[in-house]
Amino acid sequence: MTGEEAALFDDAIQSDAYLDRLLGASVPTAIDDLPPGLEPIADAAANLRSYLVRFHPSFRFEERLAARLRAAAQGHAPGDLIEFPGTVGDVEQVERRLRGRLVGGAIASGVSIASLAGAAVVAWRRFRSDRRWERLA
Amino acid sequence: VFRKGREHRGTATVRVLSTDSDRQAVQAAQRDPLLFEPLYRKYVAQVYNFAFYESRDHHAAEDLTEQVFLQALRALPTFRDRAESDGSTFRAWLFQIARNTLSNERRRERRHPEAPLDAAAQVRAPDDPAATAIGRDEARRVWGAVNRLPAERRQAVILRFVEEMSAREIGQVLGRSEGAVRVLIHRALRSVASDLART
């Protein structure tokens, strides 16, 4: 290892230790605990910490994929009818968990709940309509 | 029925690294694929975030997240061997799948997405609602700087800052040593710093 590589490796170790402190802190860490010359690294890291925020997928997407995984786990083909997941209590719990986060796409979680309720009504009506056809037959 | 949040705690014979906090959940899902759900619920947002920052599009991120979890469910029985051979955690394994899926998609489309960085407009300035407009511009600049990084450095930055993975765990995802990942991120920070100084 050349002297230049060794210096880079050493700087990288110090940057990594600084990132551990920065990402573990509830407020941005002061940069005076970094050796001189690494201040630009600290500024860049602070910017990345502030603006690389976490997003959350939409509730509707999360539940739809859960249903697909459930179907796959049960050995069903895509499009098969799967038992409707969860209860109203579960939905409220997930809603509370999602509050305060950015939700993916244009679908707000409130709309997702409305969609979920709509899907349940459609399924119920379809079920009732099928039963009526059975009686007629 | 997909049993939410439950873990099967039977007498497991499957050996997975003891450092993996998901060990029991993985073992349960290997015995009964319906018990994959707790793992899905735990990591769906993380995988989605990685996919979103790489694709810059919510719909593409959803497609990619779906592919990753369907593939992970199918490949779950093979996880034991991989864990024993390279010391990988379930989370690192999941992100390896995400990375492979992403590079297959890229190969198919033959491109890395340029902007749009529209989602940056949703990012609020930290601790100061009055500075939201400035915050949006800052977010665009920062996202632009990250977007211009070479793929491996960009992914390392996303895994470090968004997923808050350690250099060691990022190494498991990228197939690099811990030291190499530290250097990768250090260089990425230098690039971002000089990019932000220019723009």
Side-chain angles (χ1 to χ4, degrees):
Chain A
M1 189 184 283
T2 65
E4 200 177 323
E5 284 171 341
L8 175 68
F9 206 74
D10 195 43
D11 282 352
I13 288 173
Q14 299 205 48
S15 293
D16 190 55
Y18 176 76
L19 289 184
D20 278 342
R21 291 197 297 280
L22 178 73
L23 297 173
S26 56
V27 291
T29 310
I31 61 167
D32 55 5
D33 55 351
L34 256 182
L38 291 183
E39 288 91 347
I41 298 280
D43 287 340
N47 272 311
L48 292 173
R49 182 187 191 261
S50 295
Y51 294 109
L52 293 184
V53 295
R54 287 183 186 163
F55 291 88
H56 200 287
S58 72
F59 177 65
R60 188 151 85 174
F61 165 74
E62 187 177 334
E63 293 310 311
R64 194 179 64 226
L65 180 52
R68 273 209 73 182
L69 289 167
R70 186 180 314 117
Q74 286 174 327
H76 289 287
D80 282 0
L81 188 63
I82 308 300
E83 191 173 333
F84 205 74
T87 64
V88 174
D90 293 332
V91 170
E92 283 172 353
Q93 226 172 20
V94 174
E95 273 298 283
R96 270 199 297 277
R97 184 162 55 84
L98 291 185
R99 253 170 232 152
R101 291 189 184 187
L102 295 171
V103 177
I107 305 156
S109 47
V111 176
S112 303
I113 291 224
S115 307
L116 206 59
V121 169
V122 168
W124 175 75
R125 288 182 64 176
R126 188 172 292 167
F127 173 73
R128 282 189 41 108
S129 143
D130 288 345
R131 293 288 296 269
R132 209 168 58 212
W133 280 111
E134 275 173 27
R135 278 202 301 275
L136 285 173
Chain B
V1 181
F2 228 9
R3 278 152 280 190
K4 279 190 176 181
R6 283 185 202 161
E7 285 185 10
H8 193 283
R9 296 172 191 273
T11 51
T13 53
V14 181
R15 286 187 295 126
V16 185
L17 263 199
S18 59
T19 52
D20 191 350
S21 63
D22 297 315
R23 187 179 58 147
Q24 287 187 326
V26 169
Q27 289 171 349
Q30 283 176 325
R31 281 191 298 271
D32 179 359
L34 284 170
L35 295 176
F36 184 66
E37 178 155 10
L39 292 165
Y40 163 69
R41 299 280 178 190
K42 184 173 177 183
Y43 291 115
V44 61
Q46 291 187 28
V47 171
Y48 174 83
N49 266 290
F50 180 72
F52 175 70
Y53 273 105
E54 281 292 298
S55 66
R56 302 299 164 101
D57 177 83
H58 283 294
H59 295 293
E62 286 183 357
D63 287 346
L64 196 87
T65 304
E66 183 166 333
Q67 287 182 52
V68 169
F69 279 100
L70 286 168
Q71 206 175 318
L73 178 63
R74 274 197 300 272
L76 197 62
T78 68
F79 174 67
R80 174 183 53 180
D81 299 328
R82 288 164 188 248
E84 283 172 353
S85 62
D86 66 7
S88 180
T89 60
F90 174 77
R91 179 163 83 148
W93 178 72
L94 198 59
F95 276 88
Q96 282 170 8
I97 294 176
R99 202 164 162 257
N100 290 339
T101 308
L102 192 73
S103 69
N104 288 341
E105 281 291 305
R106 293 256 165 82
R107 215 169 289 135
R108 202 164 55 82
E109 295 178 3
R110 292 181 180 283
R111 66 185 183 90
H112 168 65
E114 303 298 326
L117 300 175
D118 293 345
Q122 297 175 44
V123 180
R124 292 177 56 144
D127 307 321
D128 185 3
T132 298
I134 299 168
R136 285 176 184 165
D137 287 344
E138 271 301 297
R140 282 203 181 89
R141 283 180 66 223
V142 172
W143 284 34
V146 172
N147 203 34
R148 284 186 281 278
L149 291 171
E152 202 174 33
R153 287 188 199 177
R154 187 182 59 246
Q155 290 176 356
V157 163
I158 299 302
L159 294 173
R160 189 75 168 106
F161 283 87
V162 182
E163 314 295 356
E164 295 189 3
M165 284 185 183
S166 65
R168 183 167 186 266
E169 200 173 5
I170 295 170
Q172 290 168 359
V173 176
L174 302 183
R176 301 282 221 117
S177 71
E178 190 176 353
V181 169
R182 283 197 193 115
V183 171
L184 207 61
I185 292 173
H186 181 73
R187 284 186 163 142
L189 288 173
R190 281 213 180 281
S191 300
V192 169
S194 61
D195 196 322
L196 291 178
R198 274 199 308 273
T199 53

